[in-house]
Amino acid sequence: MAKGVDIAEVVLAARRVFAEEGYAGATLDAIATAAGLSRVTLHRHGLSKERLLGELAEVATNDYRDAMWPVLTGEGTGAQRLSRGLKALCDSAEKNLAVLMAVQGHTDAVFHETGAQDALTRSIFTEPLERLLRDGDADGSLRSVEPRETATVLFNLVGWTYLHLRTGHRWSPERARDAVVDLALNGLLAQT
C-alpha cells in the first residue's frame, strides 16, 4: 500500500457500508467515501468490493477459530463442550452479522470445499465440531454419528438459522442462540 492508504481502515469502512447496504447495495464509491479516499485510489491499490469482502470474511473466520479454541481445550463432557461450541458459533456470527449477511447475499463459496459435487463445509469451520462430536461419542454423552457430515449439518443448521432468526425475525441474540442450540443439541444427546 502506498503511503496514506491504510488497508485496515478501508476494511473497516467496507464493513460499515456492507452493514448498511448489503453486498448488492454497497458500491466502491460508498466504501471509498467512508474510508475518506477516492474510488480511483482504491482501484489503484487493487481494492475491489470482492477483495474487501474477502478480507472481512477472513476476519470472521479468525474470530470463529478464536472463539472455538477455549471450547476445544476446556473441560466437561463432549455434550457440554458441544453446547458451548454451538453458542460460540452463534456469538461469532453475531459479532460478524453484517459481513455474513453480505457474504450470503453475494456468495457463500467461502464456506464450501471446492471441487466435489456434494461438497461439505470447509474443514476450518467443521473440525472443531467434529472433535466435539467424537469426544461426546467417546464419553457417552452424545449419540454416535458420522462426525464430518454431522459437523457440516450442525455448522449450517446453527449458523444460518441463527442469522435468519436475527435478521429475518429480528429476535434478540440470546433468544436466537438459545433456541437454535437447544434444538440442535437435543437431537444429538445420548439416549438414557
Side-chain angles (χ1 to χ4, degrees):
M1 284 296 133
K3 198 175 207 175
V5 177
D6 181 351
I7 184 73
E9 290 298 319
V10 177
V11 169
L12 287 174
R15 177 188 285 271
R16 290 191 303 273
V17 173
F18 287 137
E20 294 169 10
E21 306 295 334
Y23 186 84
T27 64
L28 205 52
D29 282 329
I31 293 169
T33 299
L37 302 168
S38 72
R39 182 178 49 81
V40 172
T41 300
L42 296 184
H43 277 299
R44 205 175 304 135
H45 295 289
L47 296 173
S48 64
K49 231 171 67 161
E50 186 80 27
R51 178 171 172 209
L52 291 166
L53 185 59
E55 295 282 338
L56 288 166
E58 185 65 28
V59 169
T61 299
N62 290 334
D63 286 346
Y64 170 75
R65 186 175 38 228
D66 292 347
M68 293 303 286
W69 183 249
V71 175
L72 291 169
T73 59
E75 295 190 13
T77 67
Q80 291 166 335
R81 291 171 41 239
L82 181 60
S83 176
R84 289 194 306 267
L86 295 175
K87 289 175 183 176
L89 189 159
C90 292
D91 293 345
S92 177
E94 182 65 30
K95 182 176 179 181
N96 293 285
L97 195 64
V99 173
L100 294 171
M101 294 311 296
V103 167
Q104 183 184 34
H106 176 58
T107 176
D108 61 358
V110 68
F111 296 107
H112 301 134
E113 298 287 354
T114 57
Q117 183 177 355
D118 61 345
L120 297 174
T121 301
R122 285 180 46 213
S123 61
I124 193 163
F125 300 112
T126 58
E127 282 178 350
L129 299 174
E130 285 179 54
R131 175 167 168 206
L132 296 169
L133 289 165
R134 283 187 179 95
D135 290 352
D137 183 26
D139 69 21
S141 62
L142 296 174
R143 65 186 178 90
S144 184
V145 295
E146 197 293 308
R148 186 158 191 239
E149 189 167 297
T150 303
T152 288
V153 171
L154 270 178
F155 181 82
N156 286 281
L157 171 74
V158 173
W160 293 116
T161 303
Y162 175 84
L163 289 174
H164 177 75
L165 292 172
R166 285 285 294 120
T167 61
H169 296 269
R170 293 182 173 75
W171 286 15
S172 71
E174 298 79 20
R175 181 180 179 195
R177 183 193 64 218
D178 292 348
V180 173
V181 169
D182 179 62
L183 190 60
L185 187 61
N186 281 321
L188 290 166
L189 292 175
Q191 300 300 314
T192 55

